[in-house]
Amino acid sequence: MADIMEVDITSLGAQGDGVGEYDGTPVFVPFSMPGDRVRAKVLETRRNGLYCDLVEILTPSRVRQEPACVHFGACGGCQLQFFGDDTYENWVRERALMALRQHGFDDVLVLEPAISPKSSRRRVALKALKTAAGVVLGFNERQSHRIINADMCPVTRVELTTLFTPLRDLLGPILSQRMAATVHMTLTASGIDMLIEAPKALDLADRERLSDFANEHDIAALHWQEQGFLDPVAIRREPVMNFAGARVLLPPASFVQATDEGELALTAAVVDACKGLGRVADLFCGIGTFTFPLAREHQVLAAEGAKRPLDALSAAANIADGFKQIIPRHRDLFRRPLTADELKIFDAVVFDPPRAGASAQVAEIAKSGVSRVVAVSCNPNTFSRDARTLVDGGYMLESVLPVDQFLWSPHLELVGVFTRRL
């Protein structure tokens, strides 16, 4: 078989690669789309086809558009920028359908996707490296640890991108030669929460630089983390997230939804699915993204295995007004899932696990008889696996909402609503 081939791209794969065929074998080509004719170089042969590099676009698709970012093609993110809006929306829906079909869901109602717009990402993790020429700061190259020195990012909030250059100037005198760092930034309701991870203990001059930076750029909180030790260098305001009117103090670099728009879409779907029901169990609740909106109308059990997020939720619940009872519970739901007997007192269960899904917990939910289950997932594949467990256990999957908070990428969140069959 030829190392370099010409291929007509006819469809898209699960990771957004263009898919064509050569001598009856599927060919996967990144940065291509249906309607393209491309020249591609074979890199790897796998059981399901040939994986290639794009050499040249011979004839572009008529719906191909100019990428929005100067770093497109090198940066490992946003690899689908050349999709037009309609093509991209169709792809997002198809991404959900592909995962569902793999687990036997061929006729599920997949709703119109909720796609976050450009310049909406409110949290980022930047890689930094001190070199002889200065600090390189940005995102990793595609399939590489090399860092793209980014001076813009079209999907990220401008409040964060304007700090890219000042951060290079800040880290230059602090980092040693060839020292790497990671900068976590989250835009909260009270300002930017920043945590810098690097293998260095701070001296007095470093602290002064960091403190001056926080004051100059109005950073709410700046922490330095070295070998697991968290150093609160400058706390000018407590970073706060607002969930349905509850003000939750954000632990440094804690997980929040990537965009305001995505959080709103997810929350609305969860709350709507539980409307009219009684007690709700919110499993893998984090700092309370769904707990507080649900608690406007429901008594909520909020279960979480990580202590810091649950402590933040508990503290906010103790002082928040206008909510029904919130019962925080510290529990490792992977090792000790809530049992079917424990779940029987609830009218609805909401669960939002990490990417690996929640197979042990879902097995208990499937046996519980709870009338309504709402599954939120950042991994369509494990979502579909867990959905199969629920359906095989007596539930009906009513609908799936795709929520895209990572514009121009294959990363996708899903909200599935399940009802117990009578």
Side-chain angles (χ1 to χ4, degrees):
M1 186 168 286
D3 289 335
I4 296 182
M5 58 189 66
E6 293 187 8
V7 182
D8 290 316
I9 304 300
T10 56
S11 63
L12 291 166
Q15 296 304 308
D17 290 348
V19 182
E21 191 175 282
Y22 188 84
D23 284 348
T25 302
V27 177
F28 298 85
V29 185
F31 306 115
S32 66
M33 64 188 300
D36 285 343
R37 182 169 178 80
V38 304
R39 183 174 287 118
K41 180 180 180 180
V42 178
L43 296 179
E44 184 180 359
T45 301
R46 302 182 191 173
R47 289 172 57 186
N48 63 330
L50 304 175
Y51 285 75
C52 303
D53 257 350
L54 176 66
V55 176
E56 181 183 2
I57 298 173
L58 301 171
T59 306
S61 168
R62 60 181 179 79
V63 294
R64 176 179 281 271
Q65 69 177 20
E66 193 67 24
C69 182
V70 297
H71 304 297
F72 173 76
C75 179
C78 306
Q79 58 263 48
L80 306 178
Q81 288 184 35
F82 52 89
F83 282 22
D85 291 346
D86 291 343
T87 303
Y88 184 71
E89 182 175 330
N90 290 336
W91 146 248
V92 169
R93 188 171 183 276
E94 182 60 27
R95 171 77 178 93
L97 286 166
M98 280 190 282
L100 289 163
R101 290 184 194 120
Q102 289 180 352
H103 291 269
F105 296 105
D106 297 320
D107 56 357
V108 174
L109 173 62
V110 176
L111 303 173
E112 180 179 344
I115 300 175
S116 296
K118 291 186 290 186
S119 303
S120 63
R121 190 89 55 83
R122 65 184 181 185
R123 63 175 172 86
V124 293
L126 302 170
K127 300 296 183 181
L129 180 68
K130 175 70 174 291
T131 71
V135 173
V136 177
L137 179 140
F139 305 99
N140 284 343
E141 285 188 6
R142 181 174 176 269
Q143 299 178 345
S144 170
H145 293 295
R146 184 181 174 192
I147 300 170
I148 293 293
N149 203 25
D151 53 13
M152 59 95 73
C153 178
V155 300
T156 300
R157 292 279 293 263
V158 67
E159 296 94 329
L160 302 181
T161 58
T162 54
L163 294 176
F164 287 7
T165 296
L167 276 167
R168 291 188 189 92
D169 297 336
L170 169 69
L171 294 173
I174 297 177
L175 300 180
S176 303
Q177 190 74 359
R178 303 305 300 172
M179 183 177 286
T182 302
V183 181
H184 303 269
M185 294 192 289
T186 303
L187 183 59
T188 74
S190 57
I192 294 172
D193 170 58
M194 180 178 293
L195 183 147
I196 303 174
E197 294 180 87
K200 178 186 178 181
L202 299 175
D203 60 25
L204 178 59
D206 296 332
R207 293 179 180 279
E208 289 177 345
R209 290 187 182 96
L210 291 165
S211 181
D212 289 345
F213 178 89
N215 289 327
E216 180 181 354
H217 297 282
D218 194 28
I219 306 300
L222 196 160
H223 289 77
W224 185 273
Q225 184 164 287
E226 184 252 337
Q227 294 185 347
F229 174 71
L230 192 63
D231 187 347
V233 177
I235 311 299
R236 303 175 64 249
R237 299 182 297 279
E238 292 285 358
V240 171
M241 301 302 297
N242 189 328
F243 299 135
R247 291 174 63 81
V248 183
L249 299 184
L250 182 71
S254 288
F255 174 82
V256 297
Q257 297 297 334
T259 70
D260 290 320
E261 294 85 354
E263 181 184 295
L264 182 63
L266 292 168
T267 300
V270 168
V271 170
D272 185 64
C274 296
K275 201 170 187 63
L277 300 175
R279 286 177 287 191
V280 178
D282 182 13
L283 310 183
F284 308 94
C285 63
I287 62 174
T289 302
F290 303 133
T291 300
F292 290 101
L294 286 166
R296 285 293 185 187
E297 302 292 337
H298 309 270
Q299 182 192 68
V300 181
L301 170 73
E304 172 59 53
K307 193 70 165 57
R308 283 199 307 172
L310 191 66
D311 286 345
L313 181 155
S314 301
N318 287 336
I319 61 174
D321 293 325
F323 296 91
K324 294 186 180 294
Q325 185 182 24
I326 295 174
I327 306 168
R329 181 173 298 180
H330 184 220
R331 184 150 168 175
D332 185 340
L333 297 172
F334 294 105
R335 296 183 179 181
R336 287 201 313 124
L338 288 179
T339 66
D341 284 342
E342 290 175 295
L343 290 168
K344 285 179 180 178
I345 65 171
F346 297 98
D347 299 288
V349 172
V350 176
F351 67 97
D352 182 13
R355 289 188 60 81
S359 55
Q361 182 61 79
V362 169
E364 294 297 322
I365 296 171
K367 295 184 291 186
S368 70
V370 172
S371 62
R372 178 63 54 85
V373 176
V374 187
V376 183
S377 174
C378 60
N379 185 336
N381 299 321
T382 55
F383 170 91
S384 301
R385 180 202 67 198
D386 291 345
R388 174 48 59 193
T389 300
L390 290 171
V391 169
D392 289 347
Y395 285 87
M396 178 177 67
L397 177 53
E398 292 186 349
S399 64
V400 174
L401 172 68
V403 178
D404 183 358
Q405 300 188 75
F406 296 89
L407 187 64
W408 299 319
S409 87
H411 299 295
L412 184 64
E413 297 191 60
L414 301 178
V415 182
V417 178
F418 300 81
T419 301
R420 189 76 184 180
R421 289 195 293 267
L422 299 178

